[in-house]
Amino acid sequence: MTAKILEGKYFAAQIKEKCKQDIEMLKTEHQLTPGLAVIIVGENPASKVYVANKHRSCEEIGIYSEVIELPASTSKQALLDKIEHLNCDPKIHGILVQLPLPEHIRAAETEILNAISPAKDVDGFHPVNVGKLAIGEEHLVPCTPYGCIKMLELADIPIAGKQAVVIGRSNIVGKPMFHLLLARHATVTVCHSRSKDLANITRQADILVAAVGKPHFVTVDMVKPGAVVIDVGINRIADKKLVGDVDFEQVKEVAGAITPVPGGVGLLTIAMLLHNTVKAACIIHQVNVKALE
Ligand code: NAD
């Protein structure tokens, strides 16, 4: 059996098209243009590429986009002041601070991210939004796990009643993935670096999500035949090649469906950032957001 390949670009295009239509409606019916501000501190080349991609994606679908480039020497207070200014800026509905921060302010990362108003926290990292997700009130949800869920939903892959296993317990991927799957009535197990007999657990999974950060970590013997395998990992190996956490070539021979890397869930992350920006604009302006889902 060869797995169905879940191509990220196919699902990302659907999400972006829906955002574009919602934005046109907001512009014509509510005179509202959703706005995203991305702050980048310093000269990290990879961060610059990510920020440029986000800016271009916003422009493509009609989101107003501001990129705020601050020098690497920016103090914690100056950054907090900038965030406070954006919290009050009516043109801006989503604020994102590109990580990693320069060394001298890295220890203050949590304080800096928590300074973003929960209403404009399109990354979904603020404790208020984390708490809402944990009690089943999804507000602004972290983009990568949200993208995984959207992909399952758009691919008509049932979640309710399924055994789901998430490998990884980070605040960015593993834990929100747990909450999203649980809220959709899966029976969810979260594994991590101290889990024992991992393969025995992962072989139970109808839906297996790998968010570990280790190339080819999930091998074919860890996957139940027919399982849906979502590979969140992005790992650079020799010759600058990108691979996921899953041994794609082997696992695709037993899985029912599988996401490739590159070209898988990574593409959904930006799409969900756009979705969250539109959603934040709707909530701030009290436009019915149910229609966006
Ligand atoms: P992280 O380092 O914060 O977390 C890794 C998790 O893996 C930890 O919870 C750890 O307990 C677990 N782990 C490590 N070794 C393990 C082992 N031997 N057995 C079981 N669990 C083990 O990483 P993260 O931020 O969650 O990211 C995970 C991967 O996803 C990385 O490759 C990252 O680049 C990628 N990622 C991709 C996107 C995207 O847009 N596609 C977004 C975020 C992260």
Side-chain angles (χ1 to χ4, degrees), residues 144 167-174 191-195 198 210-214 217 231-235 245 265-267 269:
T144 299
I167 319 176
R169 58 174 164 184
S170 71
N171 291 335
I172 295 172
V173 188
C191 303
H192 47 78
S193 53
R194 307 277 186 96
S195 297
L198 192 64
V212 188
K214 294 186 176 165
F217 181 81
D231 190 352
V232 181
I234 301 177
N235 309 291
D245 288 346
V265 298
L267 298 173
T269 298

Side-chain angles (χ1 to χ4, degrees), residues 9 52 57 78 90 100 102 105 114-115 120 140 150 163 167 170 203 205 208 233 250 255 272 284:
K9 67 175 180 218
S57 299
I105 49 173
N114 290 357
K120 297 189 176 185
L140 294 170
K150 278 280 173 200
Q163 292 283 343
I167 319 176
S170 71
R203 272 197 300 270
L208 178 61
Q250 301 285 317
M272 297 321 293
I284 290 168

